[in-house]
Structures are given as structure tokens and as C-alpha cells.
Amino acid sequence: MFIGAKTKFDYSQDWRQKSRRFLPFLLGIIFTLVVSSQSFSVVPQSTEILWDTYSIPHIYSNSHQSAFKAFGWAQMQSHGNLLLRLYGQARGRAAEYWGEKYLESDKWVLTMGVPKRANSWYQAQSSQFRSNIDAFADGINTYAKEHPDLIDDQVKVVLPVRPQDVLSHLQRVLLYTFVVDPGRVADINDTKSAPGSNGWAIAPKRSADGKAMLLANPHTPWGNVFLWYEAQITAPGIDAYGATLVGIPVLAIAFNDNLGWTHTVNTHDGWDAYELKLQKDGYLFDNKVLPFETTTSLLKVKQKNGSFKEQILTVKNSIHGPVISEKDGKAVALRVVGQDSSGILKQWWDMATAKNLNAFQTAVQRLQLPMFTIIYADRKGHIMHLFNGLVPVRKEGDFKYWQGMIPGDTSKTLWTKFHPDQDLPKVIDPPSGWLQNANDAPWTTTFPTAIKADNYPAYIAPRGPMDFRAQRSARMLAEDESISFEEMISYKHSTRMELADRILDDLIPAARKYGNELAKRAADVLAKWDRQANADSRGAVLFTAWADKLDFDTAFSQPWSESQPRTTPDGLANPKAAVELLETVATEVEKNYGSLDVNWGKIFRLRAGKIDLPANGAEGYLGTFQVVNFAPAEGRFQAVGGDSFVAAVEFSQPVRAMALTSYGNATQPGSSHISDQLQLFAEKKLRPVWRTRKEIKAHLEATKVF
């Protein structure tokens, strides 16, 4: 077309005038050709996975569908056995595959209707996004066909994976693990807690380099359904880096060149247990007897000899939801948000492709994610806290009321609608210049208070207390007017115990006044202690043993106060009782470990295979920002959860980022990357994030081309 236009151009008439009109058109075509040629050099003609030396897959593809297939392949190479086992459980057939120990899991999944709902969710996808889910499943199956020798024989029974399995797993993770799980249902008096997290967003006004920064720091158990997988996905319209839980086909926490976000578990009530009054073959509701809808499933349970036992699972469904228990003329039915959230994956995907705050908010406003705080930052300098989730519109009651057993015989307590996005607690660009969430209510995200509880229904979130980890989080941000990228990383690794700072000024003099000789020696140890849980900290073991037996509801003379959220609770209500407890604990510590001032890292360990390292970090209730959860192991304590995926991001040009996946980015037997990042964790370090092809090629371990 260009050549034809040129040959018809009349050179003989007023060349200068016509050339002035033609030149911009010519330059535009040249510019388009140059830009296009540059784009073609970036977008690969095929799909490839570049594996760096930490086994992070960097996926480059010329189509979304191919990128999803590659992501399925990558997850199989890194976590194939785990992924297939999780999908088997999400089908509700794990007992059939692997035996009796999975029977309760199957009953939970089937009672909640997970596999059936996965079919309807699959049909609800757009044709384009459905093909992406298909491709992810295809990547899983293709890997399994090409590498059967690398997959445990026990889990091959799950193959081939169907796209509906992906959606069943998504439901099991988000709705029936994070929103609610069987343990919390069994104990209605539980605080409805779930795995926690830290999240920070720092605006340019509080950043040493004048750039917004983001800290992502989820705390989850180190295994099973909670395991994080780090990756980069580059395809038309997307170049995002972050992490997702194994088996999920999109990034759940991520950043790109323009923006990023993290999630924390929020103080969100997305489930309720209703007590039904049974009458005849039904239940009483608004003075009428309604019938149950009953479904049955055949459960197969594999025996040790390879045979199967069969049993029938009968599920009664009420207007509230499925019945989970029945006794003494009463039944308990469970109602959970998110039944219609078929667009969760697409929303996460669109959040990762967003280029600015408006586009990001457009994706978030769909409210497909059933819960999770969103902490956001971007290159323009905006920061945001959103108390995200499906919050039922309730006619009565405060947050505490909805934590208990709810009367199910009246429509007054039955919620059917959810608050829209504009009703949810949110702040953008607060005057303080910083936002934090450590699983505390949205009212304490920053100071001066930017989200006021009085402006929202009393059932949306509790009015307190702000726990010690959240107080520590806010303290570090509030006390530093100019935070550098390096300082943010240092703060992220802080093991200082806010509880110790709050209470030792009372406990130490009380021990010296009321205590026996052992208590006084314990007081001397605590006085010398650095109040941290570093590997070489002396006194942390003693203090933690004391705090672990302390009754936080009665221990303090000044309880937590909404008017003093960051300095209460404080003081010992009963100093003599506190000293007596210290004497008891000191006796145990000296007997078990030989010394009152034993190093923290000698007792608290990071173990995996042949790796055995001194740990740093402690349980979050002590007020440490660096969270590690421990379990007893051979007379010591072994890390089993806490800090998992960590990303520190500065939205400079180019973006600066450091990250760590504490336990490594692979679990598949034979991988050299199982726990290969644990040494960095022990040293309180992050590793550089490689995002450009040049950086990745400089640290390349392997390549897979499709």
C-alpha cells in the first residue's frame, strides 16, 4: 500500500506543501514499523520456560493459553506429587486413592458440594478464560505423559487432570480452608483464625528514594495446601512476578512494572453456623416446617490389601446450607460466602495485568475473592488498603454476635446479599504515608486513623484488640520518617518482641522483689537479653516459655484500649502470680536445657532433610514481625510454618525487588532446590529477583521450549 501511494504521488505540483502533509504520515509508518519490530523481538515465537538457579520458572509466551499450559507444566516439574495429591483431595476421592486417613477430608469436600460446584463454575467462565484453564490442565497432563518416571506411582491415579479439578482445588483452598475449615466448625468458640500475614505499603513521602514500596509477607504452614510457588509470567499484556499456592493457575500475590499487591488474612466473617430446630422430617423456619434436600454419595475407602470398603454419605441441605451435625433434636447448618465466585481466577489475572490504580480497582470491584485484605502500591506513588471480601448484609448483631451459634429458625438472621465494594473499609493515600496489616482490623492500618469504625456496620470487623505483632508493625513504620529499600528489608526481618518491650519493665523488678533465688537469676537473664529472637539471643527461650503459659485475658493491669491501641495492654495485674509463673518456667528451662540463658537458635531449629540450622523469628503473638511457627521435635522445636513467600518491591525505574521462598521452590523428589533457600532464611536475607531476560540468562539453569 505504501509503495502504491508513493507511485501515484504528484511530484510536479507544490511539492513543499504536500510534503508537509505527507511527512508526518511517513514518519508515523516508520515509527510503527520500528516499534513493531522491537515488539516482535521481545515476544517469543514459541513458548519457553527459563528456570533460574533458584528454580524460579520465568514463562515467556506469545499467547495466554500457551502461558497457562507452561505454568501447569512448571508446577508439575516443581511440585507434581503434591499437586496431584491436592487435586485428588479436591475431588473428594482421596480415601479411594490413598486410604482411610483421607476419609474425613472427602466427607468435608463432598458435604460442601465442591466437585458439583466446580462443574457450574467451569461453565460460567468466558470461552477465552475457559480455554486458559483447559491449557493449565493440559500442561499438567502433558508433563505427566512425558515424565512418568518422575511422578510417584501412588498419585498417578489422579491422572488425567480435568479443568474442573483446578476449580475444585480453588474452592477447597479459598472457601473451605481459608474462609472456614473443619477445625473451626468443630469448635464454634474458636476465634475463627486462619493463616496470617504481614503487608506494608509505603508512599513516596515516607520513602528515602521518593518511590512507593510494597512488602508482601504471607505466613502459612510450610506444606500441603498452603505451599507457595514463585514464578514470572510474560505474555501479551502481562509481565507479572509473584507467587501463588500450588495448584492455582494464576498469581495470587504479584507485581509488574507499574503496580503490585499483597494479601493478608483479614478479620472477615465469611461463614456462620446456624442452629436448626428439627420437626418431623424437616426444620422450623419462620413458623413453617421446611423439608431438607437430601443427596447421597458413594464413598470408597481403599484398604491396606488393595480392596475397597464402601459407605454412603448422606447430606441434608437446608436454606442456610449443608447440615454438618445433628444431635438431640437440633442440627447445625453451615453457610459460607463465595458460592457464586466463579470469576476468582479471572479477577486475579486482571489484577496482574492492570497498569494503574483505576484498572486495578476495576478488577477488584468485582468482589470475586471471598476474603483477604489487599495492600497495594504503584509507580505513580499511590498506596491503598482495602478490606476486601464478600461481607454479608446482616440485619442485626455486632461482630462478636456472629462468631457464635446463630438461630436458624428465623429469616431475620439469614443473609442473602453482600456489601458492594463502596461499602467496604478502604483508604487510598493516607496522610501518614504508610499502611500496614498484620491480620488486625482495618481501623488500625495507619495512624492517624484513616478508616473509622464508627462509619461501618458493627458486624464488618471487630473493634479490637490490636495484637502485639500489629503494634510492632505500626511502630516500625511510624517511627521512621524516611525508609530506604534496604531498611524495609531489615524491618521485615525484625525479631524484636513487642510483648517484651511492654512487660519486662514490670516483670524484672517484680521478680527481684518477690522472687526466690532462681527468679532473681531469671530476672538478670531477662535484663541482659536483647529482647529479640535471633539465633544468638539469650533470654528469648526463657521469656517465651513464660509468655506461653501467661493468660493474656487476665495478665495485664491495663487492658487493651481503643483510645490507646499501640500502647496497651500494659502492666502486670498480679505481679506475685507472674513471678511465681516465672519461677516454675525457669525451673523447667534450666532442667531441660541446662541454662537459663541458652541461645534461641540452639533450641529453635530450621530442619529439612539433612539441613539443620539455628532459627530466628518467633510466634506472632509475642509481637515479632519475623514470624516462625514451631512444633516440638526431639527435645527441641522445629519450624513448621510462618514466613513463607516474601517480596520487597520498590517502584523505581526499573523496579527493584528482592524475594525469598523460605522452604525453596520445589518439593519433587530429586530436586536440588528442596529447601535450598533455607540458609538465606537463617541469615535473615532475601535474594535478588531476576525479571529481565538478560538477568535471567545470566543466572540460567535450564530451558524448556514448547
Side-chain angles (χ1 to χ4, degrees):
M1 292 180 63
F2 175 70
I3 294 176
K6 184 176 180 180
T7 57
K8 292 181 180 180
F9 191 85
D10 185 359
Y11 288 93
S12 62
Q13 297 182 11
D14 199 2
W15 157 247
R16 292 183 179 179
Q17 181 179 353
K18 292 187 177 183
S19 66
R20 283 195 295 269
R21 293 196 303 268
F22 183 74
L23 189 58
F25 173 70
L26 175 63
L27 292 174
I29 291 178
I30 293 172
F31 176 79
T32 300
L33 290 172
V34 170
V35 171
S36 297
S37 66
Q38 291 175 341
S39 299
F40 290 145
S41 69
V42 172
V43 178
Q45 297 304 303
S46 59
T47 298
E48 58 185 355
I49 306 174
L50 305 181
W51 298 89
D52 70 27
T53 51
Y54 285 101
S55 198
I56 314 300
H58 304 263
I59 296 169
Y60 289 86
S61 180
N62 55 8
S63 75
H64 292 175
Q65 190 172 339
S66 297
F68 274 80
K69 180 177 180 179
F71 199 28
W73 172 287
Q75 291 202 30
M76 279 295 285
Q77 178 167 313
S78 302
H79 297 291
N81 290 349
L82 173 62
L83 185 150
L84 293 178
R85 194 170 292 272
L86 293 175
Y87 280 11
Q89 290 178 263
R91 283 181 185 172
R93 297 178 64 186
E96 175 186 342
Y97 298 151
W98 306 302
E100 181 86 25
K101 70 176 183 178
Y102 291 98
L103 183 57
E104 291 306 313
S105 169
D106 286 351
K107 288 181 179 180
W108 172 251
V109 166
L110 295 173
T111 298
M112 295 301 112
V114 169
K116 181 180 179 181
R117 190 177 299 107
N119 290 324
S120 62
W121 278 20
Y122 181 68
Q123 295 303 321
Q125 307 298 317
S126 67
S127 58
Q128 181 181 9
F129 205 78
R130 191 183 304 128
S131 69
N132 292 338
I133 300 173
D134 292 345
F136 183 78
D138 184 40
I140 292 170
N141 294 327
T142 301
Y143 180 90
K145 289 177 182 178
E146 295 186 15
H147 300 286
D149 55 317
L150 299 180
I151 301 171
D152 193 317
D153 288 340
Q154 281 193 346
V155 298
K156 289 180 181 178
V157 66
V158 179
L159 296 166
V161 164
R162 304 170 303 138
Q164 289 88 342
D165 293 325
V166 180
L167 297 172
S168 290
H169 174 64
L170 177 69
Q171 288 181 66
R172 181 172 176 251
V173 171
L174 293 189
L175 303 186
Y176 304 112
T177 300
F178 276 90
V179 174
V180 65
D181 62 38
R184 281 177 280 164
V185 170
D187 183 3
I188 195 65
N189 295 315
D190 191 288
T191 58
K192 298 192 178 184
S193 61
S197 302
N198 297 326
W200 280 5
I202 300 171
K205 67 187 292 183
R206 297 297 290 266
S207 167
D209 293 330
K211 307 295 183 183
M213 297 189 292
L214 178 73
L215 177 65
N217 184 200
H219 306 149
T220 54
W222 287 2
N224 201 3
V225 73
F226 299 103
L227 206 72
W228 289 93
Y229 187 59
E230 190 174 347
Q232 180 181 7
I233 299 175
T234 303
I238 186 171
D239 184 359
Y241 191 105
T244 194
L245 295 170
V246 171
I248 305 297
V250 297
L251 299 176
I253 292 174
F255 65 93
N256 57 39
D257 282 332
N258 299 289
L259 58 82
W261 80 92
T262 189
H263 289 308
T264 62
V265 171
N266 46 352
T267 53
H268 170 263
D269 183 358
W271 67 277
D272 288 303
Y274 288 87
E275 185 175 79
L276 308 183
K277 296 178 180 179
L278 302 181
Q279 286 196 12
K280 300 178 182 179
D281 294 327
Y283 59 99
L284 195 64
F285 186 76
D286 282 349
N287 298 315
K288 296 180 180 179
V289 178
L290 301 183
F292 289 107
E293 294 182 5
T294 303
T295 60
T296 59
S297 302
L298 178 65
L299 289 174
K300 293 183 177 181
V301 183
K302 190 174 184 178
Q303 305 300 297
K304 291 182 179 180
N305 63 4
S307 65
F308 294 91
K309 284 187 177 181
E310 295 182 350
Q311 61 177 268
I312 299 296
L313 175 68
T314 300
V315 179
K316 293 180 178 180
N317 278 283
S318 70
I319 195 172
H320 309 82
V323 172
I324 55 173
S325 68
E326 191 172 336
K327 186 179 180 181
D328 299 331
K330 295 181 180 179
V332 177
L334 187 65
R335 190 164 186 81
V336 184
V337 304
Q339 311 295 305
D340 299 321
S341 295
S342 59
I344 293 172
L345 297 177
K346 183 62 163 60
Q347 179 176 313
W348 261 333
W349 178 263
D350 289 347
M351 289 162 66
T353 62
K355 302 296 189 294
N356 54 54
L357 178 58
N358 287 339
F360 186 84
Q361 289 199 93
T362 297
V364 168
Q365 285 164 2
R366 298 177 205 158
L367 291 182
Q368 291 298 291
L369 286 173
M371 63 178 292
F372 302 129
T373 294
I374 296 175
I375 299 288
Y376 165 99
D378 67 25
R379 176 174 286 181
K380 297 290 186 180
H382 298 300
I383 61 174
M384 177 179 70
H385 172 128
L386 171 64
F387 183 86
N388 167 77
L390 293 170
V391 177
V393 177
R394 296 177 163 113
K395 297 178 182 178
E396 59 184 28
D398 59 10
F399 191 85
K400 183 178 181 180
Y401 170 81
W402 289 94
Q403 304 304 290
M405 189 70 68
I406 307 300
D409 59 348
T410 171
S411 56
K412 292 180 180 179
T413 60
L414 181 65
W415 44 264
T416 57
K417 297 180 180 179
F418 302 104
H419 284 276
D421 172 79
Q422 60 265 29
D423 287 357
L424 302 180
K426 177 169 64 174
V427 59
I428 298 174
D429 300 335
S432 65
W434 59 267
L435 296 165
Q436 71 82 35
N437 189 260
N439 312 120
D440 45 322
W443 333 125
T444 51
T445 187
T446 195
F447 295 93
T449 301
I451 306 175
K452 299 185 183 300
D454 290 341
N455 296 336
Y456 298 89
Y459 55 73
I460 279 192
R463 300 283 294 240
M466 185 182 189
D467 69 20
F468 287 111
R469 174 165 57 92
Q471 291 186 34
R472 184 69 199 165
S473 174
R475 177 193 293 274
M476 291 188 291
L477 288 165
E479 292 181 352
D480 193 335
E481 295 287 336
S482 180
I483 304 173
S484 69
F485 183 65
E486 292 76 15
E487 285 174 326
M488 183 174 72
I489 293 173
S490 177
Y491 291 149
K492 180 264 151 300
H493 290 108
S494 172
T495 68
R496 191 171 186 96
M497 296 186 188
E498 188 75 13
L499 175 60
D501 283 337
R502 189 67 48 80
I503 208 70
L504 283 186
D505 59 342
D506 295 303
L507 179 60
I508 292 171
R512 288 171 173 164
K513 180 177 181 180
Y514 301 114
N516 59 19
E517 187 61 33
L518 180 61
K520 292 176 181 178
R521 286 199 289 117
D524 291 340
V525 169
L526 294 175
K528 294 177 182 177
W529 171 42
D530 62 8
R531 303 189 180 185
Q532 301 182 66
N534 293 329
D536 59 354
S537 293
R538 294 178 177 271
V541 173
L542 175 63
F543 180 78
T544 300
W546 176 79
D548 189 51
K549 295 184 178 182
L550 195 66
D551 183 349
F552 277 55
D553 291 331
T554 61
F556 300 99
S557 58
Q558 183 181 3
W560 185 83
S561 168
E562 191 173 12
S563 63
Q564 297 174 287
R566 292 189 291 159
T567 57
T568 56
D570 196 9
L572 288 172
N574 189 334
K576 289 184 178 181
V579 173
E580 289 174 2
L581 179 60
L582 181 62
E583 291 172 356
T584 299
V585 165
T587 300
E588 294 173 357
V589 169
E590 199 162 53
K591 177 182 177 181
N592 293 334
Y593 308 126
S595 172
L596 293 179
D597 64 348
V598 60
N599 284 359
W600 178 262
K602 184 177 180 180
I603 308 305
F604 292 84
R605 309 294 295 178
L606 303 171
R607 291 174 175 170
K610 296 181 179 179
I611 300 174
D612 189 353
L613 300 168
N616 63 79
E619 303 278 351
Y621 81 92
L622 295 163
T624 58
F625 199 66
Q626 173 93 330
V627 172
V628 183
N629 306 125
F630 295 94
E634 301 174 359
R636 297 292 186 267
F637 293 89
Q638 176 176 323
V640 295
D643 275 28
S644 45
F645 171 70
V646 179
V649 185
E650 181 185 79
F651 289 98
S652 51
Q653 293 182 333
V655 170
R656 298 174 67 190
M658 303 283 285
L660 194 76
T661 300
S662 303
Y663 33 67
N665 214 38
T667 56
Q668 203 63 357
S671 172
S672 61
H673 297 287
I674 299 174
S675 303
D676 65 337
Q677 299 180 51
L678 206 55
Q679 180 67 51
L680 289 172
F681 184 86
E683 297 172 1
K684 300 172 72 171
K685 294 179 180 178
L686 304 182
R687 24 158 276 273
V689 168
W690 301 310
R691 292 181 61 233
T692 68
R693 290 183 70 92
K694 182 179 180 181
E695 290 173 329
I696 298 163
K697 287 288 184 75
H699 303 89
L700 189 65
E701 182 173 271
T703 302
K704 167 65 181 177
V705 179
F706 294 85

